């Protein structure tokens, strides 16, 4: 909201109405463009006393109404923005259109998104009208590196690009964000400084700073390409490869840390094929079945799958390359693990499976909802009202079901 006033006060979004119509228009333009106004999210062109407002980000959600009670002022275009088409800001056209998937985590007041090429984030503390997608480094103001692109991880302190090739795996690990699955180096992982995702330059002998596979003997580069990252145990991190799994038992900030390989033949088929389970455990969907991983397991082999004997036929007939996504999600309220083996289109029927933890029994099923029979992502949600957890499923058409 911008308020007419006897003088211009940019910090309070007040424009000067005491002059001519052209002067008033110029003052309103200054308020809109100011850092306390829309600060570039709306651009303003002026022609004498006429202002033309254009939203910087395209999208149909931008077709909003403009209201005014200023005497002598008229608003064209039926008193609203118009012409916004295509995806709203929630799926902006700045994300890669060729991306296989978009992954997102929430860390404090920000949502961090990656698409295998770019790094973006959304400041969730802003009002709904001000929400926008920004590069990870853009909110640093005067620290803007200028030449750094959205596909580079830039370290604020050292002023260097730490990892130029976009990551495809992301997780929140305690007070750090962890990245992996880089295009050029798929077996490398990197974690931000504690409590500061703008600091990515690893330093030796500084446990609280950024860490990365390969910068010390303790944090070795993995021999397998990273397919999934997930917090594991009390303070650990599980790094799953295509055919192996490794476990970092704690964050170095808590003291001595060890990295151990817990399997040389079992891995995760994708980033959403792992999920946290009860009692600080994890479930992993591999090429041959489903595994229940515990922090004290250090020799996992193919005979340890919890789906043995129940889903062997389903997995033996399944070509993982033919699936759009494999999703694992644990429903705490029901004590059930759900595994979705989803094909690429809603026209194709997929077979899924549910595991009742209390009875240790598997139940294959299909989804009757023709608008979302093949979920490609899942999220758990627990409301403040009743504390009961529900699972939200997202499909290839954009539909969300529960």
């Amino acid at each position: 909201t911008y308020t007419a006033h006897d003088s211009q006060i940019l910090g309070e979004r007040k424009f000067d109405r005491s002059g001519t119509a052209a002067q008033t228009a110029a003052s309103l333009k200054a308020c809109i463009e100011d850092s306390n106004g829309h600060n570039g999210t709306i651009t303003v062109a002026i022609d004498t006393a006429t202002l033309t407002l254009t939203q910087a980000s395209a999208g149909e959600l931008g077709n909003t109404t403009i209201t005014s009670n200023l005497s002598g002022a008229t608003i064209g275009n039926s008193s609203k923005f118009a012409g916004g088409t295509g995806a709203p800001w929630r799926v902006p056209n700045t994300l890669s259109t060729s991306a296989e998937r978009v992954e997102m985590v929430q860390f404090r007041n920000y949502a961090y998104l990656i698409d295998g090429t770019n790094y973006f984030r959304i400041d969730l503390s802003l009002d709904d009208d001000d929400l926008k997608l920004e590069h990870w480094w853009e909110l640093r103001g005067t620290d803007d590196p200028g030449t750094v692109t959205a596909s580079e991880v830039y370290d604020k302190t050292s002023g260097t690009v730490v990892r130029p090739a976009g990551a495809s795996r992301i997780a929140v690990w305690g007070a750090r964000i962890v990245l992996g699955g880089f295009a050029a180096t798929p077996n490398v992982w990197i974690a931000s400084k504690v409590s500061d995702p703008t600091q990515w330059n690893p330093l030796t002998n500084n446990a609280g700073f950024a860490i990365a596979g390969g910068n010390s003997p303790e944090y070795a580069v993995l021999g397998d390409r990273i397919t999934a990252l997930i917090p594991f145990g009390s303070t650990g991190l599980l790094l799953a490869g295509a055919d192996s799994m490794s476990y970092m038992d704690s964050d170095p900030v808590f003291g001595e840390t060890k990295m151990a390989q817990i399997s040389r033949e079992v891995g995760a088929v994708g980033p959403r094929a792992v999920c946290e389970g009860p009692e600080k455990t994890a479930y992993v969907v591999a090429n041959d079945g489903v595994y229940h991983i515990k922090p004290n397991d250090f020799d996992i082999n193919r005979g340890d799958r919890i789906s043995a004997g129940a889903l062997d036929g389903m997995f033996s007939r399944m070509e993982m390359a033919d699936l759009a996504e494999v999703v694992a999600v644990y429903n705490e309220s029901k004590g059930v693990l759900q595994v979705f083996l989803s094909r690429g289109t809603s026209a194709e029927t997929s077979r899924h499976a549910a595991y009742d933890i209390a009875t240790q029994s598997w139940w294959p099923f299909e989804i009757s909802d023709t608008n979302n029979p093949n979920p490609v992502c899942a999220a758990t949600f627990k409301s403040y009202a009743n504390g009961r957890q529900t699972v939200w499923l997202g499909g290839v058409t954009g539909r969300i079901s529960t």
Side-chain angles (χ1 to χ4, degrees):
T1 300
Y2 299 90
T3 306
H5 194 258
D6 292 331
S7 62
Q8 178 175 288
I9 307 176
L10 295 177
E12 298 178 11
R13 293 188 175 186
K14 293 180 179 179
F15 61 94
D16 187 357
R17 65 179 179 187
S18 62
T20 65
Q23 291 169 334
T24 300
S27 181
L28 177 56
K29 177 180 185 293
C31 283
I32 296 173
E33 294 175 336
D34 188 72
S35 60
N36 295 293
H38 276 79
N39 192 27
T41 59
I42 292 179
T43 61
V44 185
I46 187 170
D47 182 8
T48 312
T50 300
L51 300 181
T52 301
L53 310 183
T54 304
Q55 296 181 26
S57 298
E60 59 190 16
L61 288 184
N63 297 331
T64 54
T65 301
I66 305 171
T67 60
S68 172
N69 60 3
L70 182 63
S71 176
T74 58
I75 304 174
N77 226 16
S78 300
S79 297
K80 65 183 298 183
F81 285 99
T85 59
W89 71 265
R90 293 182 181 85
V91 190
N93 56 13
T94 44
L95 288 168
S96 174
T97 56
S98 61
E100 181 180 353
R101 60 175 61 84
V102 176
E103 300 291 340
M104 184 190 78
V105 297
Q106 181 178 344
F107 185 74
R108 297 183 177 171
N109 287 334
Y110 290 97
Y112 292 85
L113 299 90
I114 60 172
D115 62 8
T117 302
N118 303 304
Y119 302 89
F120 289 100
R121 66 180 179 181
I122 301 168
D123 186 348
L124 301 176
S125 67
L126 298 176
D127 294 336
D128 288 349
D129 291 342
D130 296 326
L131 287 172
K132 62 180 179 180
L133 210 70
E134 301 179 280
H135 301 161
W136 283 18
W137 44 262
E138 281 182 339
L139 299 184
R140 296 205 311 270
T142 56
D143 293 316
D144 185 343
T147 58
V148 178
T149 70
S151 62
E152 297 172 325
V153 176
Y154 177 86
D155 179 66
K156 177 179 178 180
T157 298
S158 64
T160 59
V161 174
V162 179
R163 183 61 53 186
S168 58
R169 308 293 186 261
I170 186 171
V172 174
W173 177 35
R176 304 181 192 262
I177 287 181
V178 185
L179 297 172
F182 296 96
T185 52
N187 61 329
V188 169
W189 60 275
I190 184 171
S192 71
K193 181 181 177 181
V194 171
S195 301
D196 190 354
T198 69
Q199 311 279 9
W200 291 91
N201 194 28
L203 296 179
T204 56
N205 303 318
N206 191 328
F209 224 79
I211 55 176
N215 75 316
S216 76
E218 291 84 2
Y219 320 134
V221 172
L222 303 181
D224 197 2
R225 63 182 177 89
I226 296 172
T227 57
L229 301 164
I230 186 174
F232 184 52
S234 297
T235 58
L237 178 69
L238 182 67
L239 301 101
D243 299 295
S244 66
M245 283 186 284
S246 298
Y247 170 46
M248 184 176 241
D249 63 359
S250 69
D251 190 310
V253 77
F254 297 122
E256 183 179 353
T257 298
K258 294 181 180 178
M259 174 77 84
Q261 188 172 60
I262 60 177
S263 180
R264 297 178 182 274
E265 57 181 2
V266 176
V269 296
R272 301 173 188 172
V274 298
C275 68
E276 295 183 59
E279 305 298 328
K280 300 179 174 60
T281 61
Y283 291 104
V284 177
V285 183
N287 285 301
D288 61 342
V290 183
Y291 294 79
H292 187 203
I293 312 299
K294 304 176 182 65
N296 58 351
D297 291 339
F298 291 100
D299 187 19
I300 299 168
N301 57 61
R302 296 194 181 279
D304 296 326
R305 62 191 185 278
I306 60 174
S307 60
L311 302 182
D312 291 345
M314 179 185 294
F315 275 87
S316 65
R317 293 189 298 270
M318 189 76 62
E319 288 290 340
M320 292 295 175
D322 295 337
L323 301 180
E325 196 68 67
V326 176
V327 181
V329 59
Y330 170 57
N331 189 326
E332 179 183 359
S333 296
K334 296 182 178 180
V336 171
L337 168 71
Q338 292 176 298
V339 176
F340 298 96
L341 307 171
S342 297
R343 299 188 179 278
T345 68
S346 58
E348 298 179 277
T349 301
S350 300
R351 291 280 285 174
H352 313 298
Y355 179 65
D356 188 307
I357 294 171
T359 62
Q360 298 185 16
S361 57
W362 284 97
W363 300 89
F365 68 95
E366 297 178 1
I367 297 177
S368 59
D369 181 1
T370 56
N371 292 309
N372 190 17
N374 306 322
V376 293
C377 59
T380 56
F381 175 76
K382 184 179 290 185
S383 69
Y384 288 110
N386 55 31
R388 182 177 176 82
Q389 185 191 69
T390 58
V391 175
W392 292 15
L393 303 174
V396 293
T397 62
R399 182 183 177 90
I400 297 175
S401 57
T402 58

